[in-house]
Amino acid sequence: QILTVQNNFFDFEAAMIGKRPRPTEERIAYSYAYVAKGKTIRVSCFNTAWVSTKVEVPATLVFPRNTIVQTGEPADIEIAAFHHPSNWLTPDNGRAFRIAVESSVDLIMTGHEHETSVYRKQGVDTGNTQHVEGAVLQEDGSDRSAFNVIVIDDESESYEVHVCSWADNRYVP
């Protein structure tokens, strides 16, 4: 019942990939695997907004950690995408979520904070994880708008992040 407010998103997702909307039980955590230039890329999506409200309070959301499971064969590049960074989850839940995700992916993409940030985190238990936090695409009362383009070079095991910001009626890198 809680997830019905996200039906428009899942209908849009289905239209974009040319499939039927995913069943409700697959709307909390799911992944896609792609092959590009002989490399397998998996994007795991975690719906941290599943219990979001219009007026949110930091450190009050929860995410069912048991939904974070590896599916299929390991990929060459593992990416996680979720809207709310883990500081929006309750402290214990956020820490467990963060460790589970950082232990299983190479790159984490988040949003919600409305400020771009790019950094590498080295955890004792999780190893190295690259983080890319998204800019604001739309904001009430503001004409600010930006998005990130991530270019991954698997040969050199590096990546570049380009922030494209709205200026002079176009997005400028």
Side-chain angles (χ1 to χ4, degrees):
Q1 196 63 24
I2 291 172
L3 292 169
T4 60
V5 298
Q6 296 179 339
N7 283 346
N8 288 342
F9 167 79
F10 288 104
D11 290 346
F12 172 76
E13 175 202 35
M16 291 293 100
I17 62 175
K19 293 186 177 179
R20 296 176 55 81
R22 70 179 57 256
T24 303
E25 60 273 9
E26 293 177 16
R27 292 182 177 191
I28 299 281
Y30 50 95
S31 66
Y32 298 96
Y34 305 92
V35 176
K37 295 185 179 182
K39 302 283 184 174
T40 302
I41 303 162
R42 183 182 353 274
V43 179
S44 297
C45 303
F46 302 105
N47 185 356
T48 56
W50 79 285
V51 289
S52 183
T53 58
K54 186 160 178 74
V55 178
E56 294 177 317
V57 178
T60 60
L61 301 177
V62 293
F63 189 84
R65 200 175 74 77
N66 63 320
T67 63
I68 304 171
V69 293
Q70 286 291 83
T71 56
E73 296 296 315
D76 297 297
I77 301 171
E78 297 275 0
I79 300 171
F82 43 95
H83 183 69
H84 295 86
S86 60
N87 61 301
W88 286 84
L89 303 175
T90 62
D92 289 343
N93 184 249
R95 179 171 174 70
F97 176 78
R98 188 172 51 255
I99 289 170
V101 173
E102 288 177 355
S103 297
S104 61
V105 302
D106 305 300
L107 172 67
I108 295 174
M109 300 184 308
T110 61
H112 194 75
E113 300 287 322
H114 292 196
E115 298 295 333
T116 296
S117 184
V118 178
Y119 59 93
R120 182 182 75 152
K121 181 177 176 186
Q122 183 172 347
V124 173
D125 298 323
T126 59
N128 290 323
T129 310
Q130 308 299 321
H131 290 253
V132 178
E133 298 175 350
V136 62
L137 187 61
Q138 254 182 309
E139 185 173 51
D140 288 340
S142 172
D143 60 354
R144 267 191 341 151
S145 180
F147 60 89
N148 298 327
V149 174
I150 303 170
V151 180
I152 299 173
D153 183 339
D154 64 308
E155 299 280 328
S156 66
E157 296 183 352
S158 64
Y159 71 102
E160 294 177 352
V161 177
H162 303 274
V163 180
C164 300
S165 300
W166 186 253
D168 300 322
N169 292 321
R170 63 188 175 106
Y171 284 100
V172 180

